DNA sequence: TATTGTTATACTCTATAACTATA
DNA sequence: TATAGTTATAGAGTATAACAATA
């Protein structure tokens, strides 16, 4: 059985992601936010807020950790908890007016910051990259589900 | 000025990397290692060891943190420090015999684990993905260096 | 003076599990 | 009984800076 070498691809995936993280963090740190906190702000931006559970699923932060991250953002007056009307167990997390202001101030800057890295990449390569990454993710997720189903 | 939309690509990059991490972690956790510890073992495998500084550069772990990670692996008898002959300030970190044994036992398993996710991906897509990721990384690194040079 | 690695500090994230209050 | 979120705990990574030994 022949094996296509996938290890170099995984190495590039890791390097590219880490380069993105490092580059992104340059800007995020100037805002006095951690990457996790920025992730929450960016996820809540342009939404009316969302339940804890959904926020955790979108940011891949587990509920126990999320409580702490949201606490810290609450201390900074950037987000707030609102009791859900429909479910007494549920809390909606939303940006405060200060949080909205921060989001609106920093997100365009963040995009501009990122865009500087992309100006030289050929558009068609960008599109292909997006598709291939999507396939790769699907393959990884389905392999993971196979394991879960088996064990 | 027209802008090629790069945000979807970055989202896919993040999702794909996180899927990889999650899938990879399934196996790593069964070994009683953290991802950072596994990274060190994998980096030291098939080498005669390397100085602290180089190990930090390869794993992207800063020196202060690296001391702690190496301490924990030393407690587990998987790596050891050896004073460098050529530079009195420098420590070489290398796998112990137990570390080598672990590496030789787990690395093939790890590859097999990963390969399960790749069997369905078309080989040519894998090759293109590798190239495009490489370009993307270069773009991000050079954008970052531009900032450093400017500030 | 600059560099290697250690130490110390304070914070943040992670994983896990027990707990509460609602459903 | 199950679910949403909180609390508690122990461990681990991060950033930063001061420090000792050596170059």
């Amino acid at each position: 059985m022949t094996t296509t070498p996938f290890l170099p691809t995984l190495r590039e995936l890791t390097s590219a992601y880490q380069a993105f993280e490092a580059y992104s963090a340059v800007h995020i740190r100037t805002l006095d936010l951690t990457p996790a906190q920025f992730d929450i702000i960016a996820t809540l931006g342009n939404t009316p807020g969302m339940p804890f559970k959904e926020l955790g699923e979108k940011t891949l932060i587990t509920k126990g950790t999320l409580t702490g991250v949201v606490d810290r953002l609450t201390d900074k007056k950037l987000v707030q908890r609102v009791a859900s009307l429909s479910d007494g167990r549920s809390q909606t997390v939303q940006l405060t007016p200060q949080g909205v202001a921060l989001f609106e101030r920093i997100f365009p800057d963040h995009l501009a910051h990122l865009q500087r890295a992309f100006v030289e990449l050929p558009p068609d390569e960008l599109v292909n990259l997006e598709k291939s990454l999507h396939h790769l993710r699907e393959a990884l997720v389905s392999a993971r589900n196979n394991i879960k189903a088996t064990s």
Side-chain angles (χ1 to χ4, degrees), chain A:
Chain A
M1 169 190 158
T2 39
T3 307
T4 317
F6 57 89
L7 221 42
T9 307
L10 283 179
R11 264 195 273 272
E12 290 296 345
L13 175 66
T14 302
S15 301
Y17 176 76
Q18 288 172 342
F20 162 56
E21 269 294 298
Y23 182 63
S24 191
V26 169
H27 182 229
I28 291 175
R29 254 184 261 129
T30 67
L31 306 167
D32 255 311
L33 295 173
T34 66
Q37 290 168 6
F38 181 84
D39 203 4
I40 303 269
I41 300 282
T43 303
L44 291 178
N46 288 329
T47 79
M50 62 187 73
F52 239 85
K53 188 182 161 73
E54 187 181 344
L55 187 57
E57 283 162 358
K58 292 207 169 166
T59 56
L60 296 181
I61 299 175
T62 53
K63 58 182 183 176
T65 303
L66 191 56
T67 296
V69 180
V70 168
D71 282 348
R72 274 162 234 130
L73 286 171
T74 302
D75 290 345
K76 293 181 179 178
K77 318 263 191 224
L78 295 174
V79 307
Q80 59 192 340
R81 289 170 167 87
V82 181
S84 164
L85 299 174
S86 55
D87 185 336
R89 299 168 301 180
S90 181
Q91 301 274 345
T92 296
V93 185
Q94 60 187 206
L95 295 179
T96 60
Q98 289 106 308
V100 172
L102 180 70
F103 174 76
E104 285 174 353
R105 184 167 63 77
I106 69 183
F107 208 69
D109 286 357
H110 195 65
L111 289 186
H113 177 77
L114 291 176
Q115 200 188 337
R116 263 170 240 136
F118 281 87
V119 286
E120 282 166 85
L121 279 185
D124 62 324
E125 188 168 329
L126 207 55
V127 174
N128 281 334
L129 182 55
E130 183 187 340
K131 280 186 205 150
S132 298
L133 285 170
H134 191 76
H135 290 159
L136 175 57
R137 180 183 58 164
E138 284 179 335
L140 286 163
V141 169
S142 95
R144 190 170 174 217
N145 287 339
N146 283 341
I147 287 181
K148 275 189 189 161
T150 311
S151 63

